[in-house]
Amino acid sequence: DGGITQSPKYLFRKEGQNVTLSCEQNLNHDAMYWYRQDPGQGLRLIYYSQIVNDFQKGDIAEGYSVSREKKESFPLTVTSAQKNPTAFYLCASSPSVGGNQPQHFGDGTRLSIL
Amino acid sequence: DAKTTQPPSMDCAEGRAANLPCNHSTISGNEYVYWYRQIHSQGPQYIIHGLKNNETNEMASLIITEDRKSSTLILPHATLRDTAVYYCIVRVAEFGNEKLTFGTGTRLTIIP
């Protein structure tokens, strides 16, 4: 089935450690996105990418990094510079950036600090 | 993007139609209305979207008023699996406006 796969579902990070969250899609979508969701709050955009080897900062990019080496993959690295990384991270994709087609989401990765 | 207002919670009996309202009185002519839902600990699920005409798909119907200041999401025959938080989002579909702004949504509970 076509869809977006995020892994792992749960992730624990030690202080000062970088961690990478995986996001893979087989929908042949050009655009991919990373959001962060905190308890009881809405989603905040971290980064998005409209095409391979290109990405743009969202509202809260500080302390995060991304890469887009393949169309189907958009991994997110949470660096030690992110002081409050505990959150639910959601990856999404859409056919293209700027269109009215909806974004479709994966099932998320919940990151916690040990 | 225009702001949306939704009731914080609603109940609906299983098998009945669930009608979820959304107010977006400041919507502009090029803003689309999107509906998503989120079940606890899962990613948001896209339901439906529209600009000015009513829309229907296999999941739901979207009714947008003629002045576009409000809309209603209709789940025609609610089941227990429809229990979730439902989000109404208004967004201009243009390059550079990529984020989806989720408000607090409506927590819909389907009652057996």
Side-chain angles (χ1 to χ4, degrees), chain B residues 47-64:
Chain B
I47 302 172
I48 199 167
H49 76 288
L51 182 62
K52 58 177 71 174
N53 297 321
N54 297 339
E55 302 287 345
T56 295
N57 63 19
E58 65 277 6
M59 289 183 67
S61 294
L62 173 60
I63 308 299
I64 303 174

Side-chain angles (χ1 to χ4, degrees), chain A residues 58-70:
Chain A
D59 294 331
I60 55 165
E62 185 175 350
Y64 300 97
S65 66
V66 293
S67 63
R68 188 85 186 276
E69 297 178 0
K70 298 185 297 182

Side-chain angles (χ1 to χ4, degrees), chain B residues 16-36:
Chain B
R16 304 297 294 268
N19 296 274
L20 291 88
C22 180
N23 182 288
H24 31 78
S25 58
T26 60
I27 194 170
S28 61
N30 60 348
E31 289 184 301
Y32 285 77
V33 180
Y34 297 81
W35 282 85
Y36 284 80

Side-chain angles (χ1 to χ4, degrees), chain B residues 12-14 80 109-112:
Chain B
C12 179
E14 186 178 16
L80 298 179
T109 302
I110 306 302
I111 309 298

Side-chain angles (χ1 to χ4, degrees), chain A:
Chain A
D1 286 350
I4 300 170
T5 302
Q6 290 188 243
S7 61
K9 191 171 179 63
Y10 299 95
L11 188 58
F12 298 91
R13 193 192 89 170
K14 295 181 181 179
E15 295 280 356
Q17 188 180 51
N18 293 353
V19 290
T20 297
L21 284 60
S22 170
C23 178
E24 303 277 333
Q25 55 99 359
N26 60 4
L27 300 168
N28 200 33
H29 285 172
D30 284 325
M32 297 186 74
Y33 312 81
W34 274 105
Y35 291 88
R36 167 183 172 141
Q37 187 175 33
D38 293 282
Q41 298 187 30
L43 277 65
R44 290 185 288 170
L45 183 65
I46 304 173
Y47 269 98
Y48 67 95
S49 167
Q50 60 174 330
I51 200 169
V52 173
N53 294 322
D54 178 79
F55 46 83
Q56 308 292 331
K57 292 182 178 180
D59 294 331
I60 55 165
E62 185 175 350
Y64 300 97
S65 66
V66 293
S67 63
R68 188 85 186 276
E69 297 178 0
K70 298 185 297 182
K71 184 176 184 177
E72 58 270 22
S73 178
F74 191 40
L76 173 74
T77 297
V78 183
T79 74
S80 57
Q82 171 52 240
K83 297 307 179 187
N84 186 23
T86 296
F88 189 43
Y89 290 87
L90 290 157
C91 179
S93 72
S94 66
S96 64
V97 161
N100 67 15
Q101 291 304 304
Q103 296 177 21
H104 294 271
F105 288 82
D107 276 338
T109 293
R110 194 168 297 279
L111 175 64
S112 301
I113 300 302
L114 295 177

